[in-house]
Amino acid sequence: MYMIIKNYQTHTTLTISGLLMLTIGVVFTQGGIADFMGKQYKFATTGSTFFDLFGAFSAIMSERTATIGMIAMTSAGFAAYMSKIGAADCLVKACAKPLQAINKPYLILALAFIIGQTLNLVIPSPAGLAMLLLISFYPILLQAGVSPLSAAVVIGTCGSLDLGPGSGNSNVAAELLDMSIVEYFATTEILVAIPVTLTVAATHFFVQKWFDKRDGVQQPQSVVNATSKENDVPYSRLYAFLPFLPLALLLIFSEIGIEGITINAPIAMFASLIIILGIDAFKVKSLHKALDRSFEFFKGMSGAFSTVVVLIVAATTFTLGLDAIGAVDAMKSMILAGNVHYILITLFGMLIIAFTAMLTGSGSAAFVSFANLGSELSAAAGVKTVLMLVPMQHAAGFGRSLSPVAAVVIAVAVAANVSPFAILKRAAIPCIVGILATMFYTQIIFG
């Protein structure tokens, strides 16, 4: 962690640290790498402990890429495609129109957070969502009398909860709770997300108002349009609904929809790509142009692999190393001995995940790496897994919103023409409130 704080390359640092801890675990236990690999990894020894270290990394890469990696890549690809054809812009413009009729600056600010968090269901990329909101919501907030800094802070935290079937973290949580993603979303995640979203929106209302009053509201300024002319399409009601297609398919072909057919997030994303490709070709009256624009889906997938997926693999290797040196067993022992209440362990797990997200700028890598802790420690404490897992999931999103290296924080800081740390200063209280509110509401609803 010290090296990451000192700005060493995150992916490689986590990987090497994990492999070193695995080596220490092997030396002190006189066991093999296979002894530390979970059942989920298809690991076969090479016959050499040295090469088995890299075999462990390879096994983690294969498993993560095929599962959570595919969800992350297809979600990022679909979000990039929606931005390319202008559908995401149309959706955000449609949601921005009602805000223009309200003449209460900080009420608009709070509502913008609620709308933005709702849009995160169908635009799972926090940075991508922020860029769209900067184009549409940001000028409205400025015209309403909100300072550029307050507007940027709210927009930067709109994707904090990582909600919906397109979220990699949601899929991991659903798997650990032995639920389908639709069941988890409809019966667990949304029940906590609604009160948390309202609580954070109210916190933004008062915190940003206080900061603006203390600092003096700055004059509204223009925002640079971040879209290219190629992506700038006229508003279309049809295109405004297209980002909801994967979510609709997941709900229709699930346990609560048509019986006998169940699909997952990557299937929904790929099916939506083909359907929307046909719609786009008809709309632009050019199959050639529609096919060219559809390649943005695969470019988005490749971008997510090099950033999110590889970071998830690196952080998972680091976590495996922690397990090898006995850190996880030590926490279990504290719980079983009755020395620490499970609430304190939950807080500890949330802090680890939030801190990792702050250091790496990735909520996905942080949660995926430590998600098993929630399952294992809740079993040791004899409590429902959901009581630990849901707070840990949302701690990752709020932690990312407090990271100076997160793409979303950098994007909104550039828009407001301030440093990322100015954004983080104002985002700290709402994010901390969000983390604590998640744990509180989870205990109330499921405890």
Side-chain angles (χ1 to χ4, degrees):
M1 289 300 180
Y2 171 80
M3 293 174 70
I4 295 176
I5 293 174
K6 291 297 183 180
N7 205 30
Y8 284 81
Q9 209 288 324
T10 304
H11 300 62
T12 311
T13 298
L14 287 174
T15 301
I16 293 176
S17 299
L19 294 177
L20 285 175
M21 286 188 288
L22 270 174
T23 303
I24 293 172
V26 169
V27 170
F28 280 92
T29 63
Q30 296 299 306
I33 299 296
D35 297 329
F36 302 113
M37 300 297 290
K39 294 180 180 178
Q40 68 187 110
Y41 303 113
K42 295 180 181 179
F43 176 81
T45 181
T46 63
S48 165
T49 300
F50 176 76
F51 288 114
D52 278 353
L53 287 170
F54 307 105
F57 181 82
S58 177
I60 294 171
M61 174 72 79
S62 298
E63 193 279 333
R64 289 306 192 197
T65 302
T67 53
I68 183 62
M70 185 56 65
I71 295 168
M73 288 189 292
T74 53
S75 297
F78 185 75
Y81 180 48
M82 290 296 94
S83 179
K84 182 71 174 180
I85 67 174
D89 289 341
C90 291
L91 173 59
V92 174
K93 287 175 183 176
C95 294
K97 286 184 177 180
L99 295 180
Q100 295 174 320
I102 303 173
N103 194 28
K104 301 285 185 182
Y106 295 98
L107 178 59
I108 293 177
L109 195 68
L111 291 174
F113 176 81
I114 295 172
I115 294 174
Q117 189 61 71
T118 304
L119 291 175
N120 190 228
L121 291 172
V122 293
I123 306 175
S125 167
L129 175 62
M131 293 309 298
L132 291 172
L133 296 179
L134 285 170
I135 297 165
S136 54
F137 282 17
Y138 191 68
I140 294 173
L141 294 174
L142 296 187
Q143 292 169 10
V146 179
S147 72
L149 191 49
S150 287
V153 169
V154 169
I155 289 173
T157 56
C158 277
S160 295
L161 268 70
D162 274 338
L163 299 175
S167 164
N169 287 358
S170 295
N171 280 268
V172 170
E175 182 180 344
L176 290 173
L177 290 171
D178 196 24
M179 296 180 178
S180 70
I181 182 57
V182 174
E183 181 186 5
Y184 174 67
F185 172 68
T187 66
T188 304
E189 186 176 45
I190 197 68
L191 299 182
V192 177
I194 290 174
V196 171
T197 299
L198 296 176
T199 300
V200 176
T203 305
H204 271 305
F205 180 97
F206 292 105
V207 170
Q208 306 313 326
K209 186 176 182 178
W210 181 85
F211 270 108
D212 281 346
K213 184 176 180 180
R214 190 196 68 172
D215 300 338
V217 176
Q218 302 177 32
Q219 292 297 318
Q221 62 184 45
S222 60
V223 59
V224 176
N225 192 321
T227 58
S228 66
K229 291 183 179 179
E230 181 182 357
N231 298 347
D232 190 16
V233 298
Y235 173 72
S236 167
R237 286 194 179 93
L238 172 62
Y239 273 40
F241 285 102
L242 293 183
F244 288 99
L245 185 56
L247 180 59
L249 292 177
L250 282 167
L251 292 174
I252 292 170
F253 300 106
S254 68
E255 299 89 340
I256 64 175
I258 298 175
E259 294 184 6
I261 304 178
T262 303
I263 63 175
N264 57 25
I267 293 174
M269 298 293 176
F270 283 123
S272 298
L273 168 66
I274 300 303
I275 294 171
I276 296 172
L277 173 60
I279 295 173
D280 193 43
F282 178 80
K283 180 78 172 177
V284 300
K285 297 180 174 59
S286 171
L287 178 61
H288 187 278
K289 183 176 181 180
L291 287 172
D292 281 346
R293 302 205 307 185
S294 70
F295 187 62
E296 196 71 20
F297 184 98
F298 302 103
K299 288 170 64 178
M301 286 185 66
S302 66
F305 179 82
S306 63
T307 54
V308 178
V309 178
V310 175
L311 185 55
I312 287 173
V313 173
T316 302
T317 304
F318 180 79
T319 307
L320 191 64
L322 287 176
D323 194 16
I325 62 175
V328 176
D329 286 337
M331 285 188 286
K332 289 182 184 177
S333 298
M334 286 192 296
I335 294 177
L336 292 172
N339 296 331
V340 181
H341 193 274
Y342 86 91
I343 289 289
L344 294 178
I345 291 295
T346 303
L347 280 171
F348 178 67
M350 293 170 70
L351 287 174
I352 289 177
I353 291 174
F355 184 62
T356 303
M358 289 170 64
L359 292 177
T360 63
S362 171
S364 296
F367 179 68
V368 171
S369 303
F370 296 102
N372 284 325
L373 284 178
S375 179
E376 295 175 13
L377 296 178
S378 61
V383 298
K384 298 176 183 176
T385 303
V386 67
L387 295 177
M388 288 190 177
L389 200 61
V390 173
M392 289 181 179
Q393 177 192 344
H394 293 316
F398 283 113
R400 180 193 55 234
S401 296
L402 291 176
S403 171
V405 297
V408 61
V409 174
I410 294 172
V412 295
V414 170
N417 196 27
V418 296
S419 75
F421 293 99
I423 298 290
L424 302 183
K425 183 178 179 180
R426 288 189 175 217
I429 294 176
C431 286
I432 292 172
V433 168
I435 291 172
L436 297 177
T438 300
M439 188 175 70
F440 174 76
Y441 290 124
T442 302
Q443 305 302 317
I444 293 295
I445 297 171
F446 299 106

